[in-house]
Amino acid sequence: MFKEYDVIVVGAGHAGCEATHAAAQMGCSVLMVTMDMSRIGQMSCNPAMGGIAKGQILREIDALGGMSGIVSDKTTIQFRMLNRSKGPAMWSPRSQNDRWRFAEEWRLTLERNPNVDIWQEMVSGLVIKNGVVKGVRTGMGLEIAAKSVVLTNGTFLNGIIHIGEKQFSGGRTAEKAATGITEQLIEAGFEAGRMKTGTPPRIDGRSLNYSKMEEQLGDENPEKFSYLEEIKPIKKQRSCHITYTNEAVHEILKSGFEKSPMYSGRIKGLGPRYCPSVEDKVTRFADKDRHQIFVEPEGWETVEIYVNGFSTSLPEDVQHKALCKIAGFENAKMFRPGYAIEYDYFPPTQLTSTLETKLIKNLFFAGQINGTTGYEEAAAQGLMAGINAAINVKEQQPFTLERSDAYIAVLIDDLINKGTEEPYRMFTSRAEYRILLRQDNADIRLTEKGYDIGLASIKRLNLVKNKISKTADTIEELKAFKPSTEILNAYLEKSGNALVREKTSLYSLLKRPQLELHNLQEINDEIDNYIKSIHKDVAQQVEIHVKYDSYIEKEQKIADSMKHIDYIKISPEFDYKKVHSISTEAREKLSKIKPDTLGKASRISGVNPSDISILMIHLSK
């Protein structure tokens, strides 16, 4: 019934979709196995993509040839560039999406690929022989052979849903949990743990009074995630709204705490620190008399509303009573209550930098199974696991990225070297080279790498080469463009800027923090026409390079100086127990994680610089 596939992907969430697409685009035969084909690409929580650091990840996925950015752009209902008031390293694109169209677009994308097959059933175990994965075993007892397997199980592994004192097995609302895989992997020697996440209630938008809320509009000139020119920015947008909890809401929430699974101890797993439940917020920030609530539409046509900021597992009657005390929610009708979900994960220190497991060859983990939270983090891991699963089949060199290359690399490096005991979420602060890792230059950083492995298209490569060339040419043109001092000073005096004493280039003027390219258009018609002729993406690159050139150069030098220890290899057989001069903690951590380079060893929690210096001496011998 089944042929032997090159790659089997278990799960059809954000990680599963990207893994399937990547491996198939690279020429592999891929079978995606999911328990419900109607839920492929499902946005299980909020209907939005991107945000702080997450928007950068989406652009990196797009630059490498992944699909999450394109799917997001095609289903956007509102777009905003966050942190515009800060420097470009902090700019982060975010879209509000149509939940149903997003899932539909992902499914159609995969179905259009002749290398992708889909099978609807639960995977209950793996076929493993002599430490190598050989395929999967389904709930019906079918064995399907594959050369590589990628597990992207999300919250389904022994998932338990909690609403107040009620709890029942499930991987997502109205969907059953997956069983069998955890137990088999533990028997094979893997360490497993439990984590928790949650979601807010969904509300009938027809029952809300938006006049009592603050309207939140999208950007006046919205951008997009994908670098491809044929993908266009959204023209029409839907508004979101903002409202707030209050002390009356908090008192009602507190009345349900004794029935809360979080406070009664029924939930053992740790939840996401940076996306706490509303009951967590009321407890941890008791000094605050209100908390912000984002009222987000689920799509273009539907009346369903996502209540962002009100994630909860309290009893449904308490949820509803509390909601009705929020301004604009007085007559709110609930479609379904919020809930918490507890699930199995596997500490990611058990993986290599390709996301292949150390214990079983050709087996990859991606997404929440690795202890992460967020669509974007999952999609990034799925992409890298799919790429390397395909590379294993082709017997080529592994594909990895450096921390100075991408946020994706920071994410994976943190996971495999530091591990995580709570759901890991990406922030710009986690990246030490964030001036280099901006959302505007992901294509410059990564597209050629994506093309070299057979994922990014030649069209993408030509686009980025043209962008690099045009940027360099424009910078030189700005250096050569020197209007007369009379023309410049007339403009500078009128605009309240310091005058020049000698002939000055537009490049030098642009270095002034208070002047931007569009300001220079006011100098005269010739300059206005010239600046209008510069492509928008090129103009952005030029402006950033002119204004931040010294900072970019300094950070690049730091990144280059640190790379030497990443090239110092460590054999997996290296015996750290014989290196008595390093700390006991360092010996234990290094022996457990077994980093393959000195650079990775240096980033393990508990390993300090003196330990690295001693190791360097031993390795040189």
Side-chain angles (χ1 to χ4, degrees), residues 600-614:
K600 289 174 185 173
S602 72
R603 294 188 287 273
I604 295 173
S605 177
V607 177
N608 58 48
S610 62
D611 296 324
I612 296 302
S613 297
I614 294 164

Side-chain angles (χ1 to χ4, degrees), residues 379-437:
Q381 293 170 74
L383 178 77
M384 296 299 283
I387 288 170
N388 282 295
I391 280 174
N392 272 19
V393 170
K394 296 169 181 284
E395 299 182 347
Q396 297 171 347
Q397 286 298 308
F399 180 73
T400 58
L401 298 168
E402 304 289 340
R403 289 180 73 94
S404 55
D405 289 332
Y407 273 92
I408 294 173
V410 175
L411 164 68
I412 293 174
D413 194 67
D414 279 357
L415 290 173
I416 66 171
N417 292 312
K418 298 177 182 177
T420 186
E421 295 179 351
E422 61 184 49
Y424 178 102
R425 180 179 176 181
M426 179 53 72
F427 291 100
T428 50
S429 58
R430 295 191 190 271
E432 61 270 44
Y433 306 120
R434 52 189 172 273
I435 296 176
L436 301 180
L437 308 183

Side-chain angles (χ1 to χ4, degrees), residues 245-260 263 277-283 291 293 309-315 317-323 325-326:
T245 63
N246 52 57
E247 291 182 355
V249 174
H250 300 173
E251 289 305 312
I252 293 172
L253 292 171
K254 289 175 186 176
S255 73
F257 280 7
E258 63 181 26
K259 295 182 179 180
S260 166
Y263 294 98
S277 65
V278 69
E279 51 263 44
D280 241 3
K281 287 190 269 192
V282 169
T283 304
H291 296 283
I293 299 293
F310 205 87
S311 176
T312 179
S313 57
L314 289 170
D317 60 327
V318 176
Q319 294 184 32
H320 188 252
K321 286 176 187 174
L323 277 169
K325 293 295 182 182
I326 296 174

Side-chain angles (χ1 to χ4, degrees), residues 190-260:
F190 285 87
E191 177 189 348
R194 295 286 277 176
M195 280 190 178
K196 167 255 174 188
T197 189
T199 193
R202 306 303 199 271
I203 302 299
D204 186 337
R206 296 169 298 183
S207 65
L208 301 182
N209 184 353
Y210 294 102
S211 67
K212 292 188 175 182
M213 308 178 199
E214 302 169 23
E215 186 176 15
Q216 187 179 48
L217 300 170
D219 288 349
E220 188 176 344
N221 296 302
E223 297 185 31
K224 57 191 179 80
F225 289 111
S226 181
Y227 291 97
L228 287 176
E229 290 184 331
E230 62 262 33
I231 305 298
K232 303 299 181 184
I234 188 172
K235 293 182 178 178
K236 172 188 168 188
Q237 302 191 64
R238 275 201 72 173
S239 292
C240 296
H241 289 81
I242 297 172
T243 186
Y244 299 87
T245 63
N246 52 57
E247 291 182 355
V249 174
H250 300 173
E251 289 305 312
I252 293 172
L253 292 171
K254 289 175 186 176
S255 73
F257 280 7
E258 63 181 26
K259 295 182 179 180
S260 166

Side-chain angles (χ1 to χ4, degrees), residues 16-34:
C17 286
E18 282 292 359
T20 300
H21 172 263
Q25 284 296 105
M26 292 171 68
C28 289
S29 60
V30 184
L31 178 68
M32 169 186 273
V33 187
T34 174

Side-chain angles (χ1 to χ4, degrees), residues 131-145:
V132 181
V133 73
K134 295 294 184 180
V136 301
R137 187 176 297 108
T138 74
M140 290 196 298
L142 300 174
E143 286 195 4
I144 311 172

Side-chain angles (χ1 to χ4, degrees), residues 245-416:
T245 63
N246 52 57
E247 291 182 355
V249 174
H250 300 173
E251 289 305 312
I252 293 172
L253 292 171
K254 289 175 186 176
S255 73
F257 280 7
E258 63 181 26
K259 295 182 179 180
S260 166
M262 286 171 48
Y263 294 98
S264 66
R266 288 191 298 277
I267 292 180
K268 305 296 182 186
L270 285 174
R273 177 192 301 261
Y274 303 103
C275 189
S277 65
V278 69
E279 51 263 44
D280 241 3
K281 287 190 269 192
V282 169
T283 304
R284 285 164 51 186
F285 308 106
D287 56 317
K288 294 187 179 293
D289 56 10
R290 69 176 193 170
H291 296 283
Q292 200 168 46
I293 299 293
F294 294 93
V295 183
E296 301 176 342
E298 297 261 0
W300 283 114
E301 306 298 337
T302 182
V303 298
E304 190 173 349
I305 294 295
Y306 181 88
V307 191
N308 195 340
F310 205 87
S311 176
T312 179
S313 57
L314 289 170
E316 59 271 25
D317 60 327
V318 176
Q319 294 184 32
H320 188 252
K321 286 176 187 174
L323 277 169
C324 288
K325 293 295 182 182
I326 296 174
F329 278 72
E330 292 83 359
N331 299 306
K333 293 179 182 178
M334 189 185 287
F335 281 138
R336 57 185 169 93
Y339 61 86
I341 184 164
E342 199 176 9
Y343 56 93
D344 294 337
Y345 85 105
F346 292 83
T349 51
Q350 300 170 101
L351 305 175
T352 70
S353 55
T354 63
L355 298 181
E356 184 178 15
T357 68
K358 295 174 182 176
L359 286 177
I360 300 175
K361 185 169 175 54
N362 295 339
L363 176 63
F364 297 79
F365 292 173
Q368 284 172 293
I369 193 172
N370 291 335
T372 61
T373 181
Y375 304 148
E376 303 81 4
E377 290 89 343
Q381 293 170 74
L383 178 77
M384 296 299 283
I387 288 170
N388 282 295
I391 280 174
N392 272 19
V393 170
K394 296 169 181 284
E395 299 182 347
Q396 297 171 347
Q397 286 298 308
F399 180 73
T400 58
L401 298 168
E402 304 289 340
R403 289 180 73 94
S404 55
D405 289 332
Y407 273 92
I408 294 173
V410 175
L411 164 68
I412 293 174
D413 194 67
D414 279 357
L415 290 173
I416 66 171

